[in-house]
Amino acid sequence: VYSPFDAVELAAARPDRQVVFAGIGFETTAPAVAAAILDGARRELTNFSVLSLHKTMPAPLRALLDLGETAIDGFILPGHVSVITGSLAFDFLAREYGVGGVVAGFEPADVLAALVRLAAQREPAVAIEYTRAVRPEGNTLAREVMSQVFEPSDAEWRGLGTIPGSGLVLAPAFRQFAAEERFSVDPGPSREPRGCRCGEVLRGLIDPPVCGLFGERCTPEQPIGACMVSSEGACAAYYRYRDIGE
Ligand code: SF4
């Protein structure tokens, strides 16, 4: 399917089958999944459910700073998440930690412009470079739909462990759509591939080439760890641009 609404349509068209949608992503995708659940509820579907693996964004930044093991001067903040949360959700970085941030878009020029603005800050602040999409207050309607359908839950993060309140599960009024309650499947604990140091990469403790598997056994064509899977992954990006500067 291309969207959670396709899954709702599929369930409506095939009442003899159970349709489970895997809800992944951050505040960027969670509102659409919440809206699909509302649609499923309105249509009284009993064969549609969602396995919510959603996570929310500000909490891991706080966890990273609380660990205090990486010298962080500033953050390039996530553009699409900020479309929903607004930049105000990240104001605590400057206010509580004295660390600035700039919400960036995804074009190379966006990232460069965000870096320039970050480097030019005289006082830590949270600013928006991605002004064509992000407002300080974000999308309040999308957040209302999210908070109607979901509630915060503890969630496990690669390299950071369990962060309280950083995930989303279905709120009690919508628990009948929770796949993990409808089907008794125990996925067991998550495990990293042997030798993968993705957690340390994500915490900024090592650069990807320090991992003994980087570029040899782990490549974008044959990834071993999660950081090499998508083009946005830290190891994949490092691999793609590894020759720059040499
Ligand atoms: S994703 Fe690959 S290169 Fe990156 S830390 Fe894991 S194994 Fe190493």
Side-chain angles (χ1 to χ4, degrees), residues 195-199 201 206 208 211-215 218 223-228 235:
C196 174
R197 301 181 66 179
C198 202
V201 170
I206 63 168
C211 171
L213 305 178
F214 178 84
C218 184
I224 289 178
C227 296
M228 192 63 93
C235 293

Side-chain angles (χ1 to χ4, degrees), residues 17-43:
R17 304 293 298 270
Q18 286 288 332
V19 176
V20 180
F21 184 81
I24 57 170
F26 296 84
E27 289 91 337
T28 325
T29 53
V33 175
I37 291 169
L38 287 176
D39 193 28
R42 183 182 58 79
R43 295 160 75 161

Side-chain angles (χ1 to χ4, degrees), residues 205-226:
L205 297 178
I206 63 168
D207 285 337
V210 176
C211 171
L213 305 178
F214 178 84
E216 299 291 331
R217 290 178 49 208
C218 184
T219 63
E221 290 72 34
Q222 289 193 308
I224 289 178

Side-chain angles (χ1 to χ4, degrees), residues 95-226:
R95 194 176 57 243
E96 297 179 33
Y97 293 91
V99 174
V102 177
V103 179
F106 294 85
E107 298 298 325
D110 286 320
V111 178
L112 281 174
L115 276 173
V116 168
R117 283 191 67 169
L118 200 50
Q121 285 186 354
R122 295 188 178 276
E123 295 290 332
V126 170
I128 304 172
E129 182 277 332
Y130 197 24
T131 50
R132 61 191 187 276
V134 176
R135 292 171 294 163
E137 67 277 16
N139 184 330
T140 49
L141 179 61
R143 288 205 304 277
E144 278 170 21
V145 172
M146 267 172 64
S147 61
Q148 183 184 352
V149 173
F150 292 114
E151 65 181 14
S153 66
D154 296 350
E156 195 179 337
W157 293 71
R158 179 169 289 108
L160 293 172
T162 299
I163 301 178
S166 65
L168 294 173
V169 293
L170 292 178
F174 296 93
R175 291 301 285 175
Q176 70 270 29
F177 293 100
E180 68 274 24
E181 295 206 355
R182 186 174 300 180
F183 307 101
S184 58
V185 177
D186 179 7
S190 58
R191 281 196 300 269
E192 292 299 320
R194 188 188 298 270
C196 174
R197 301 181 66 179
C198 202
E200 293 163 272
V201 170
L202 292 176
R203 275 152 49 207
L205 297 178
I206 63 168
D207 285 337
V210 176
C211 171
L213 305 178
F214 178 84
E216 299 291 331
R217 290 178 49 208
C218 184
T219 63
E221 290 72 34
Q222 289 193 308
I224 289 178

